[in-house]
Amino acid sequence: MLTNTHPSIPGPKPGPDPLAEIRATRAFLMRLIDRYCPDLEHLVLHIGPLAAAERLRSGDIPGILREQVTPDRVRAAATAVETDAETSARCGARLLIPEDERWWPTALAGTMGIPGAQGMWVRGRAELEMLAQPSVVISGARAASGYGIHVAGELAGELSGAGRVIMSGAGFGIDAAAHRGALAAQGTTVAVLPCGIDRAHPTAHVNLLDRIAENGLVVSAQPPGTMMTRDRMLDRNRLLAALGHATVVVEAAARSGVLHLVGAANASGRPVMAVPGPVTSALSVGTHRLIQDGATMVTGSGDVIAGLRQPWCP
C-alpha cells in the first residue's frame, strides 16, 4: 500500500464537512456493490443516495438487486466505510461525489453508464477542472517494443506541450511511456487505476504514480484497499475511455486487452485513433485492424490535435 507521504489534492480548508453524511452514504453504496451497477444507479437517481441507502440497509431491496445486496454485504459495507476515510487520508486522497462543487460533470457529459456514478477517489495536486480540458488517452501493449515506447513518449510529450492532458492506466509498456512522456514535458497526466486509490497497480509503478500525483491526478472508482481483478480492469477501461476526449492506441496485438478500451471509447462516443507500425510486427496487427475499421491513423501529434478539433469531439 501507499504511505502518507504522497501529495493530496487541493481541497476545502480543514473543518467540518457539510457533505459528511452524504459522502459516507455514497462510500457505503460504493462498498455495497463495488462494480458499476445500472440498477443501483437508477435507484439512486430515482430516490436519492440517502433514501436508497436507508432502503437497502432496512432490507427493502428491489427484486432486481436482491442477488447482489445481501444482509452480509450490507453489514460488511457499513463496517468497511468506517476505515475508508482513514485509509484514504493516510495516502493523501479523498472521495469526491456528485454533490461536491469540485465535481466535474462536464467531463462525463453524455457518458451515463460508467463506473464512478457514486463518486471517485482522487489524489494529486492538479485542479480537478483539468479533467474537463482537452485530453487524450494513450494506451497499448504492455510488452511494447522500443518503437512503441518511443512513439508513445513522443506523442505524449508533444501533446502535453500543446496543452492536452494525457490520460492512461499506469500499466507497463505504452501506458507508462505515455505518462513519462507527459512528465518529461512538464505536462499534466492522469492515471486511472483498477484498484483502490491507496494501492499501486502494477506495484512496480509506485514511484511513477507518486510522480503523476505531484503535478497531475491519480483516480479510482474503487474503494480503498480494493485489489485489481479482471472485472475491475474492464470497469477501469470504461471510466478511462469516458474521461478522455479521444483514445490513441500505440501497438496492440490481434487479441490485445487494449481493444476493450477501444470498445469502451466507441460506446462513449469518443473517437479512436491508432498508430501504424511495421507490417512484420505482431504488436501492430491490432492497430492496423483498427485503422482498417475506421480509426484515424496517427503519424504524429498533429493528427491527434486535428482529430480533437472535429465536431464529434467534446
Side-chain angles (χ1 to χ4, degrees):
M1 288 192 181
L2 304 176
T3 69
N4 61 359
T5 61
H6 307 294
S8 59
I9 65 170
K13 294 180 180 179
D17 179 6
L19 297 174
E21 181 182 12
I22 194 167
R23 199 179 309 280
T25 296
R26 287 195 179 273
F28 165 77
L29 293 172
M30 292 173 73
R31 277 287 183 184
L32 190 61
I33 301 179
D34 62 3
R35 288 203 62 212
Y36 169 69
C37 176
D39 299 320
L40 177 61
E41 182 178 351
H42 292 156
L43 178 64
V44 172
L45 288 173
H46 181 62
I47 64 176
L50 295 175
E54 181 58 31
R55 181 173 176 180
L56 296 173
R57 285 192 190 101
S58 69
D60 181 13
I61 302 169
I64 201 165
L65 286 172
R66 284 177 187 163
E67 290 186 4
Q68 300 181 74
V69 181
T70 64
D72 286 344
R73 286 190 68 89
V74 171
R75 286 191 292 270
T79 300
V81 166
E82 296 178 2
T83 62
D84 281 350
E86 296 176 2
T87 301
S88 63
R90 282 197 298 270
C91 71
R94 66 185 284 252
L95 176 64
L96 296 171
I97 57 175
E99 290 78 11
D100 277 314
E101 291 183 5
R102 301 172 71 83
W103 187 251
W104 53 91
T106 56
L108 300 178
T111 58
M112 291 299 293
I114 64 166
Q118 301 305 323
M120 287 187 240
W121 299 90
V122 180
R123 72 179 181 99
R125 295 194 185 279
E127 295 292 336
L128 297 176
E129 289 77 4
M130 51 79 67
L131 287 172
Q133 294 175 5
S135 58
V136 180
V137 176
I138 300 179
S139 190
R142 286 177 293 180
S145 69
Y147 162 80
I149 296 294
H150 174 76
V151 170
E154 288 290 308
L155 270 179
E158 291 175 7
L159 289 169
S160 291
R164 273 59 180 182
V165 176
I166 303 302
M167 298 186 173
S168 198
F172 290 120
I174 299 302
D175 285 14
H179 289 306
R180 290 182 176 120
L183 291 170
Q186 298 184 327
T188 302
T189 185
V190 176
V192 182
L193 302 178
C195 57
I197 196 71
D198 58 326
R199 293 184 175 274
H201 180 81
T203 55
H205 284 173
V206 169
N207 291 337
L208 175 60
L209 288 168
D210 288 348
R211 290 181 60 204
I212 292 170
E214 282 290 344
N215 295 296
L217 293 173
V218 179
V219 178
S220 175
Q222 302 297 332
T226 303
M227 301 289 289
M228 190 280 293
T229 65
R230 181 180 181 278
D231 286 342
R232 289 168 184 152
M233 180 69 78
L234 297 181
D235 277 351
R236 187 283 304 273
N237 286 348
R238 293 167 64 204
L239 176 58
L240 179 60
L243 286 173
H245 291 156
T247 294
V248 179
V249 180
V250 182
E251 292 196 322
R255 311 188 98 177
S256 172
V258 77
L259 298 180
H260 179 271
L261 175 63
V262 170
N266 286 328
S268 295
R270 301 322 199 214
V272 174
M273 308 178 189
V275 175
V279 295
T280 55
S281 173
L283 289 173
S284 294
V285 172
T287 51
H288 292 164
R289 188 171 298 165
L290 288 174
I291 293 169
Q292 289 174 335
D293 291 342
T296 299
M297 183 171 68
V298 171
T299 59
S301 60
D303 294 329
V304 180
I305 293 172
L308 285 169
R309 291 180 181 145
Q310 297 300 315
W312 30 257
C313 277

